[in-house]
Amino acid sequence: MKVSQIVEPLKAEIVVGEKIEEQDIEGGYCGDLLSDCIANAKEGSVWVTIQSHPNTVAVAVLVGMPCIVVTNYQEVGEETVQRAQKEGITILRTSLTSYQAVSILSSLGIPGTKRRG
Amino acid sequence: MNEDKVLMEIERKIMGGDFQSAGDVSSELKKVLQQVGFPPSFNRRVVIAAYEAEMNVVIHAYRGVFTTKIYEDRVHIEVNDQGPGIPDLELAFQEGYSTAPPHIREMGFGAGYGLSNMRRCSDKLEIDTRVGEGTKVIMDFFLNSDK
Ligand SMILES: Nc1ncnc2c1ncn2[C@@H]1O[C@H](COP(=O)(O)OP(=O)(O)OP(=O)(O)O)[C@@H](O)[C@H]1O
Ligand SMILES: [Mg+2]
């Protein structure tokens, strides 16, 4: 599934997303603790979180996650936007809660994934 | 230690409290490891541990130097900081233990998983810390380990 296909179902605003037509999503991860996400999220996942700090972009890059879905309509600051643009990470923003967002992604057939080992 | 050849050496400064560029050193390391052509699963565990060590300097220390040596079959990382040091290492390694203040936790840090992530991802981990002076983290990653 492409990142572009989850925008509408999530009723999301595209904060950064020049590559949504090309970016593939193979699974999903949900969490707000960066140490948890970096250790457990799998490459190619969409990441659902309430965090919108610039360092979430660093975590997405390190794990290899193409897209961050920021829930609860959290503010996404300019620093985060610039960093995401530079790294080619998509940021979607929705007023849904993380649970609601995950439910929708799951109904679209995106499985929850976890890094092995 | 056998005298094998260093393919590449990277040395970078890390500033405490600089959340703007936090993670940059680990991102650069990831790209270099990919270029060298190590398997993705190996790169991933090196990068997780590198990120946690880098972030601990940003969050807990004043400044530090991050050095990586890449060999044909292993990666060696040293992160040397000037900072408060760690008074009780055993306690610090406990998952969930963190001294990160509330404004840092709000950003998603301070889960208290960093040190155990480092231990889990590295093949060798050594920490030399002096209260009031600083902390040195030394990690080794072997390509042919069963991790
Ligand atoms: N370089 C360091 N200098 C001083 N204290 C440190 C350093 N690294 C770790 N500590 C201490 O050890 C504790 C545990 O570190 P650990 O990395 O496991 O968790 P954390 O950094 O608090 O949270 P997380 O890594 O999950 O974001 C820290 O809260 C801090 O008190
Ligand atoms: Mg830490």
Side-chain angles (χ1 to χ4, degrees):
Chain A
M1 178 165 303
K2 301 290 179 195
V3 171
S4 55
Q5 293 172 271
I6 65 170
V7 178
E8 229 182 74
L10 290 173
K11 302 185 197 78
E13 169 196 324
I14 302 170
V15 183
V16 180
E18 276 139 46
K19 304 208 283 186
I20 53 170
E21 307 287 345
E22 300 129 59
Q23 286 171 322
D24 279 310
I25 300 175
E26 288 150 21
Y29 197 82
C30 178
D32 307 320
L33 297 172
L34 304 187
S35 281
D36 165 65
C37 186
I38 189 129
N40 295 316
K42 198 173 166 186
E43 193 168 358
S45 301
V46 51
W47 178 20
V48 178
T49 180
I50 55 164
Q51 299 293 347
S52 58
H53 182 270
N55 221 252
T56 55
V57 178
V59 170
V61 171
L62 292 176
V63 173
M65 294 183 289
C67 174
I68 304 171
V69 175
V70 178
T71 54
N72 276 359
Y73 226 59
Q74 288 291 316
E75 199 83 45
V76 181
E78 192 49 39
E79 281 173 35
T80 307
V81 169
Q82 279 173 13
R83 202 159 177 170
Q85 280 167 340
K86 190 178 132 223
E87 300 284 0
I89 302 290
T90 292
I91 299 184
L92 305 179
R93 181 169 174 245
T94 174
S95 57
L96 300 176
T97 66
S98 291
Y99 185 93
Q100 289 169 325
V102 169
S103 307
I104 288 169
L105 294 172
S106 171
S107 73
L108 292 173
I110 298 169
T113 40
K114 188 172 184 231
R115 183 182 80 102
R116 258 189 275 180
Chain B
M1 191 61 61
N2 50 339
E3 293 291 312
D4 44 354
K5 203 173 91 214
V6 181
L7 299 180
M8 206 170 312
E9 186 167 348
I10 308 170
E11 188 179 299
R12 295 286 177 267
K13 289 198 174 85
I14 305 170
M15 280 310 294
D18 179 8
F19 286 92
Q20 179 92 45
S21 29
D24 281 1
V25 177
S26 311
S27 300
E28 184 185 350
L29 177 59
K30 180 181 180 182
K31 285 175 194 136
V32 171
L33 292 171
Q34 284 171 335
Q35 278 163 12
V36 172
F38 290 131
S41 60
F42 176 77
N43 294 347
R44 179 70 191 275
R45 63 187 179 90
V46 174
V47 165
I48 293 171
Y51 172 81
E52 294 291 3
E54 177 182 4
M55 288 317 304
N56 277 356
V57 176
V58 175
I59 295 171
H60 306 291
Y62 314 135
R63 67 186 68 81
V65 178
F66 186 111
T67 316
T68 310
K69 283 186 189 157
I70 299 172
Y71 299 82
E72 236 161 70
D73 57 351
R74 67 188 170 99
V75 172
H76 179 82
I77 293 178
E78 288 191 23
V79 186
N80 209 339
D81 74 49
Q82 289 166 277
I86 305 173
D88 186 341
L89 256 184
E90 202 184 320
L91 184 63
F93 265 98
Q94 276 177 25
E95 295 195 340
Y97 175 82
S98 173
T99 58
H103 70 278
I104 301 278
R105 287 177 194 253
E106 259 167 42
M107 296 192 283
F109 300 107
Y113 283 113
L115 288 170
S116 42
N117 276 351
M118 286 185 233
R119 176 130 73 195
R120 215 173 296 129
C121 291
S122 60
D123 295 303
K124 229 173 99 193
L125 169 65
E126 202 181 299
I127 296 181
D128 181 8
T129 183
R130 293 201 174 93
V131 173
E133 289 180 34
T135 301
K136 185 174 187 175
V137 175
I138 305 169
M139 297 186 284
D140 285 286
F141 305 85
F142 303 107
L143 202 54
N144 299 320
S145 90
D146 42 18
K147 280 210 180 182

